[in-house]
Amino acid sequence: MTQERPKILIVDDVPANLVVLRKLLAKVPADIISASSGNEALALALDHEFALVLLDVQMPEMDGYEVAEWLQSEEQTRGTPIIFVTAAYKDDVHRITGYEAGAVDYIEKPIEPAILLSKVGVFLRLYQQKQLLADALHQLESLNENLEQRVRSEVHKNLEQERILVQQSRLAAMGEMIGNIAHQWRQPLNALGLLLANIKDANDFGELDTEQIENSVAKGVQLIDKMSTTIDDFRNFFKPNKEKATFSLRKAVQDTLEILAATFRNNNIAVQVEAEQDVVAFGFPNEYFQVMLNILNNAKDAMLSHEMRRGEIRIAITRCGEQAEVTIRDNAGGIPEDILPKIFDPYFTTREKGTGIGLYMSKIIIENNMGGHLNVRNVEDGAEFSVTCPVGEGNA
Ligand SMILES: Nc1ncnc2c1ncn2[C@@H]1O[C@H](COP(=O)(O)OP(=O)(O)OP(=O)(O)O)[C@@H](O)[C@H]1O
Ligand SMILES: [Mg+2]
């Protein structure tokens, strides 16, 4: 920032004195502005910022002390240093009055040029340093403001990214879900098809009677009910929980397996659940279900990519103190050590059609939202995921 040339106000009711002062100050690097009365001085002081005021004490109407007092009382001029220019006094009474009014120094008449210049020089330097300090402060403030703004916009960007990720993971999960629904529906759809074909056959051969129609309708309604339950099941799972609740881990695992049952059966994947006792956990059950679904789907994907003839998944439910733990172990060959540290990163995937956010979202759900841990390690012939979360009330 460029510094303005400092200004000095000189105040004296005798024009000749002003001329003398002006001459003496000719070489000082400042603009000299003069006032010939206290009133004029005050008006100027409100219009300009002065580095220093050289103030004659004895003036008619308003003397130097009054001017000084007034300058002291105004917020805008309070910090401006004043040098009283006064006749020599025998005692210090006036000097003390001057200091009380805010004077910073005295110069006696007749003015000794060297003394005047050295005092004025000191105050000018002080003023310039004060300006520099104010500039630095100003710069610091605007830097600070910039920084705050940048932090705010970064935070905003992060939130936005998080939101997009959540959205994408929902879509990806929906895709999986539709695949699973398709599997679940295949069997009842086939059965419905058979039912209709039977009715047509019976009709063709003239064997259709009321009893058969009623039986077929009852069976059809049953099948449709089953299909509709599947949809309800999925829908419930996809509603995010608003409040934490206690839930049974055994039930969470069983519900997940039920939904995957058809997919697993078609891909020849066997699941074994070991739970000596049920464990009650505390958190968001529907989100927890999504985590289970992600991990189990990943195991299935790994098995498919290895074209395994028989996949095996072992799930264990245990309680370790205040932690409720579910481990899911597969036999799909494990995760290569070099990618192991990356699998929880957003968008990390080794699958051609993968989005790479399944495990990332799972980690956020378990660790950030539920206060638990989601870890992975390689075991003999596969990977083992461990999901822990706080236990809830009602455990045996
Ligand atoms: N059980 C597992 N066995 C071997 N590799 C696994 C297993 N689980 C996860 N991975 C690896 O971790 C990667 C990331 O998994 P993640 O679920 O985050 O994404 P994805 O399955 O690739 O895609 P999507 O977001 O559609 O689920 C997978 O691509 C795979 O390489
Ligand atoms: Mg996945």
Side-chain angles (χ1 to χ4, degrees):
M1 203 180 283
T2 49
Q3 294 285 326
E4 257 184 57
R5 214 169 126 85
K7 295 178 194 141
I8 297 177
L9 177 64
I10 54 177
V11 191
D12 203 309
D13 58 314
V14 182
N17 287 347
L18 286 174
V19 172
V20 170
L21 262 177
R22 226 176 233 290
K23 264 201 192 135
L24 288 174
L25 296 171
K27 293 229 173 85
V28 167
D31 292 336
I32 311 296
I33 295 174
S34 52
S36 54
S37 73
N39 277 326
E40 195 186 341
L42 295 182
L44 283 167
L46 287 178
D47 271 358
H48 302 265
E49 191 194 326
F50 289 107
L52 176 64
V53 182
L54 286 170
L55 191 54
D56 181 28
V57 172
Q58 280 161 322
M59 292 186 291
E61 285 169 36
M62 191 190 273
D63 72 12
Y65 297 131
E66 278 176 83
V67 175
E69 251 169 53
W70 197 92
L71 289 176
Q72 270 290 294
S73 69
E74 283 295 304
E75 175 77 43
Q76 198 183 327
T77 48
R78 187 166 299 149
T80 313
I82 298 165
I83 298 181
F84 285 112
V85 184
T86 170
Y89 292 108
K90 289 207 181 61
D91 53 43
D92 268 344
V93 172
H94 287 89
R95 203 177 282 266
I96 286 159
T97 319
Y99 275 109
E100 274 168 3
V104 184
D105 214 336
Y106 270 85
I107 288 180
E108 290 179 354
K109 287 179 185 169
I111 293 170
E112 183 67 51
I115 290 182
L116 173 76
L117 289 177
S118 106
K119 288 192 171 178
V120 168
V122 167
F123 284 113
L124 277 184
R125 275 197 298 281
L126 258 179
Y127 176 77
Q128 269 152 352
Q129 268 157 17
K130 221 173 78 184
Q131 293 288 90
L132 284 176
L133 204 67
D135 278 358
L137 259 176
H138 184 78
Q139 272 172 16
L140 210 65
E141 267 166 21
S142 70
L143 261 178
N144 218 350
E145 210 168 281
N146 272 345
L147 203 68
E148 264 173 38
Q149 242 162 21
R150 271 175 48 195
V151 168
R152 244 178 308 189
S153 93
E154 284 303 311
V155 167
H156 180 78
K157 258 193 245 159
N158 276 349
L159 281 178
E160 184 62 11
Q161 239 156 13
E162 198 91 301
R163 202 187 57 75
I164 292 171
L165 272 178
V166 170
Q167 187 64 18
Q168 284 176 334
S169 95
R170 286 236 172 89
L171 285 178
M174 288 288 197
E176 295 270 9
M177 278 296 112
I178 289 170
N180 283 314
I181 292 179
H183 276 300
Q184 296 281 79
W185 276 14
R186 194 150 295 152
Q187 189 266 331
L189 279 177
N190 282 342
L192 268 178
L194 275 178
L195 210 63
L196 292 175
N198 282 344
I199 293 174
K200 184 175 183 307
D201 283 351
N203 189 41
D204 287 350
F205 292 102
E207 291 167 0
L208 195 62
D209 56 23
T210 317
E211 196 192 338
Q212 196 181 353
I213 289 187
E214 269 167 12
N215 267 343
S216 301
V217 168
K219 261 190 209 150
V221 168
Q222 219 176 6
L223 287 167
I224 289 169
D225 275 352
K226 192 173 161 194
M227 289 163 75
S228 144
T229 317
T230 313
I231 289 194
D232 289 343
D233 286 350
F234 284 114
R235 226 195 343 229
N236 284 339
F237 282 126
F238 275 87
K239 260 190 240 145
N241 291 115
K242 295 246 160 41
E243 297 214 0
K244 283 190 179 172
T246 53
F247 60 97
S248 145
L249 285 188
R250 203 201 298 249
K251 185 165 184 314
V253 167
Q254 268 161 5
D255 286 352
T256 320
L257 289 176
E258 235 161 71
I259 274 176
L260 290 169
T263 314
F264 278 11
R265 206 172 36 239
N266 292 343
N267 291 300
N268 208 14
I269 298 170
V271 185
Q272 202 184 324
V273 181
E274 298 157 16
E276 272 178 17
Q277 61 184 52
D278 189 16
V279 180
V280 177
F282 183 66
F284 300 107
N286 289 354
E287 277 84 343
Y288 192 89
F289 158 80
Q290 280 190 40
V291 172
M292 290 288 131
L293 206 61
N294 280 337
I295 296 173
L296 287 166
N297 267 324
N298 281 348
K300 176 205 71 186
D301 292 335
M303 287 165 184
L304 293 187
S305 77
H306 286 92
E307 291 173 13
M308 297 179 58
R309 272 198 291 129
R310 186 179 158 76
E312 263 170 36
I313 294 176
R314 277 181 18 215
I315 303 177
I317 302 171
T318 48
R319 176 183 174 175
C320 305
E322 289 305 294
Q323 296 290 309
E325 184 180 29
V326 173
T327 54
I328 299 143
R329 173 193 283 231
D330 62 55
N331 66 341
I335 302 163
E337 290 296 327
D338 57 324
I339 67 163
L340 203 55
K342 300 184 207 152
I343 61 166
F344 295 106
D345 291 350
Y347 299 118
F348 179 83
T349 180
T350 56
R351 296 196 298 122
E352 209 178 307
K353 290 202 176 132
T355 62
I357 46 191
L359 286 179
Y360 170 73
M361 281 314 300
S362 301
K363 192 136 181 120
I364 293 212
I365 288 173
I366 295 298
E367 302 197 345
N368 296 11
N369 304 358
M370 289 179 52
H373 292 285
L374 171 56
N375 293 311
V376 64
R377 62 182 184 131
N378 280 320
V379 289
E380 303 136 49
D381 50 0
E384 183 184 86
F385 284 84
S386 142
V387 188
T388 60
C389 68
V391 293
E393 307 247 319
N395 276 296

